[in-house]
Amino acid sequence: MDAEEQQQPAEITLSTCPGTTPCTPLSKNQLKKQRKHAEMIELRKVRRQKERERRKEKKAQAKALGLPTTVGPSRKELKRRQVSVGNQSAEDAVNVAIDLNYDDLMQERDIAKCVKQCLRIYTINRRSEQPLRLHFTGIKRDGHIHESFKKNDGWENWNVEYHFDRTHSDVFEKSKLVYLTCESDQVLEKPLAGHAYVIGGLVDHNHFKGLCHQRATTEGLSTARLPLSEHVDMKTRSVLSTFHVFELLTRVAAGQDWTQAILETIPQRKGAKAKEAKDVITPNDQEEPFEEQSKASIEDEDDLKDQPTTES
C-alpha cells in the first residue's frame, strides 16, 4: 500500500502546474489600497448602524417631548408618491432617462462618480413632491457601471426602471424623445407629460465635448437646452452637473418658474442672479444660441462631497 501511495503523482496546483508563471506580488501601494478599501466597507457598515441608532434616539426624544417625530415627509408618504408615479401611464407621466451608454469612455473613478450622481438623482426624485418617472438606460449587463451599482446595498429595490442593454431609443418612441444638450438650438420651455427627456450620464471632464449632442443628432432625436441664460446671470460658466439638471426638471414640472427653480438649485458659488424683467429673454426673441449653457453630463465633483453612498 505504501508503494502504491508513493507512485501516485503529486497533486497539481496552480503553482506546480507546468508552464505556469508565478503571480506577480502586489506592490505596497496596491496592498495599501486593498486594505483601505476593506476598512472603508467595514466603517461604512458601522457608520450606517450608528446613524440608525441616532435617528431612533432623536425620534424617542421628540416623542417624549410631544414634538413631531419627522422633519420631512414620512417614509409612508414617500412610498405613496412613488406608487402614484408608477401607476401613471406613459402618456400621463414626465419621463426622464439617464443615458448610461458611456461605459467604455470613463475611467474607474469617473464611473464611481457617475453612479454616485445616479444615487443623488434617485434621492432627489424620491423626496420630490411630484416625482418624475425615472429610467436608467443603456446599462451594459455586467459592465463597469453595472458592477459599480452592485456596490450599493439595495440598489435593485430603488424606484427606478433599469434598462440593461437597451438604450432610450429602444424604450421610448423617437418622436417623444428630447435629448438635453447645451449645444442645441432649441430651448426647453417646460417638461411635458408623455415625453421622455434624456440626460447624458458621462463623466468626461470635457474630453468628449459635444458627444451627447452628436449621438442624439446622429440618431435623429430632438434636442433642447435649459434656458439658463434667459433667466439668470452667472459669475462662472453655466455648466451644470447631471443631478442639477434633473432637479431643475423636477421643480419646473412641479410648477415652479425657471428663475426660481434655477436660483434654488444651482450652487451659490456660481453667483447666479435673476435677470431684471427688461433683460429676460424669451425663446422667440433669441436669434443665436448661447455658447455656455447647461451641459447634460456629470462635472461638479464638489457638489457630491459628503453625500451618502446609499439611500436609507
Side-chain angles (χ1 to χ4, degrees), residues 100-165:
L100 299 175
N101 191 23
Y102 300 94
D103 198 289
D104 299 329
L105 297 180
M106 293 184 284
Q107 299 179 1
E108 183 178 355
R109 62 180 182 179
D110 293 332
I111 288 174
K113 293 173 186 174
C114 173
V115 172
K116 198 169 185 179
Q117 291 230 21
C118 289
L119 166 62
R120 180 70 181 271
I121 288 170
Y122 159 69
T123 304
I124 292 170
N125 197 49
R126 185 172 184 268
R127 296 175 180 174
S128 174
E129 293 184 8
Q130 297 183 27
L132 306 181
R133 200 161 184 171
L134 182 58
H135 304 257
F136 290 163
T137 62
I139 306 173
K140 293 182 174 61
R141 190 173 295 278
D142 297 325
H144 302 304
I145 290 178
H146 189 190
E147 293 300 324
S148 187
F149 268 118
K150 293 178 182 178
K151 296 178 183 178
N152 294 275
D153 297 335
W155 68 278
E156 307 97 325
N157 301 321
W158 294 357
N159 291 302
V160 175
E161 296 186 41
Y162 295 96
H163 302 279
F164 292 95
D165 300 320

Side-chain angles (χ1 to χ4, degrees), residues 24 118 163 171 235 291 307:
T24 304
C118 289
H163 302 279
V171 178
K235 293 181 180 178
E291 184 175 354
Q307 290 300 324

Side-chain angles (χ1 to χ4, degrees), residues 61-279:
Q61 292 173 1
K63 189 174 182 181
L65 296 172
L67 300 174
T69 56
T70 56
V71 178
S74 64
R75 297 177 69 87
K76 185 176 181 180
E77 171 61 18
L78 293 175
K79 187 68 176 178
R80 185 198 65 77
R81 294 176 186 177
Q82 293 295 335
V83 171
S84 176
V85 174
N87 291 335
Q88 288 181 329
S89 64
E91 291 75 20
D92 296 331
V94 176
N95 298 274
V96 177
I98 309 302
D99 181 11
L100 299 175
N101 191 23
Y102 300 94
D103 198 289
D104 299 329
L105 297 180
M106 293 184 284
Q107 299 179 1
E108 183 178 355
R109 62 180 182 179
D110 293 332
I111 288 174
K113 293 173 186 174
C114 173
V115 172
K116 198 169 185 179
Q117 291 230 21
C118 289
L119 166 62
R120 180 70 181 271
I121 288 170
Y122 159 69
T123 304
I124 292 170
N125 197 49
R126 185 172 184 268
R127 296 175 180 174
S128 174
E129 293 184 8
Q130 297 183 27
L132 306 181
R133 200 161 184 171
L134 182 58
H135 304 257
F136 290 163
T137 62
I139 306 173
K140 293 182 174 61
R141 190 173 295 278
D142 297 325
H144 302 304
I145 290 178
H146 189 190
E147 293 300 324
S148 187
F149 268 118
K150 293 178 182 178
K151 296 178 183 178
N152 294 275
D153 297 335
W155 68 278
E156 307 97 325
N157 301 321
W158 294 357
N159 291 302
V160 175
E161 296 186 41
Y162 295 96
H163 302 279
F164 292 95
D165 300 320
R166 299 181 68 202
T167 67
H168 44 274
S169 297
D170 300 323
V171 178
F172 304 101
E173 294 181 20
K174 286 191 175 182
S175 59
K176 300 291 185 179
L177 276 172
V178 179
Y179 210 119
L180 300 178
T181 70
C182 62
E183 295 85 5
S184 178
D185 295 333
Q186 301 298 319
V187 178
L188 179 65
E189 295 185 8
K190 184 179 179 179
L192 301 176
H195 287 68
Y197 299 90
V198 186
I199 306 173
L202 172 64
V203 179
D204 62 343
H205 307 287
N206 275 335
H207 294 158
F208 301 102
K209 191 173 182 179
L211 179 60
C212 296
H213 185 75
Q214 179 185 345
R215 284 190 175 185
T217 53
T218 300
E219 293 178 26
L221 304 180
S222 299
T223 62
R225 62 176 179 83
L226 302 185
L228 298 182
S229 60
E230 284 80 358
H231 293 271
V232 299
D233 292 316
M234 294 190 192
K235 293 181 180 178
T236 64
R237 60 179 186 155
S238 53
V239 175
L240 299 183
S241 62
T242 296
F243 73 84
H244 282 139
V245 176
F246 178 82
E247 186 172 355
L248 279 172
L249 292 179
T250 62
R251 289 179 179 275
V252 175
Q256 279 191 354
D257 62 82
W258 278 107
T259 302
Q260 181 184 6
I262 294 169
L263 294 176
E264 292 182 5
T265 298
I266 63 175
Q268 291 184 354
R269 68 174 183 275
K270 289 186 176 290
K273 292 184 178 180
K275 284 181 177 290
E276 296 181 8
K278 61 180 181 180
D279 296 329

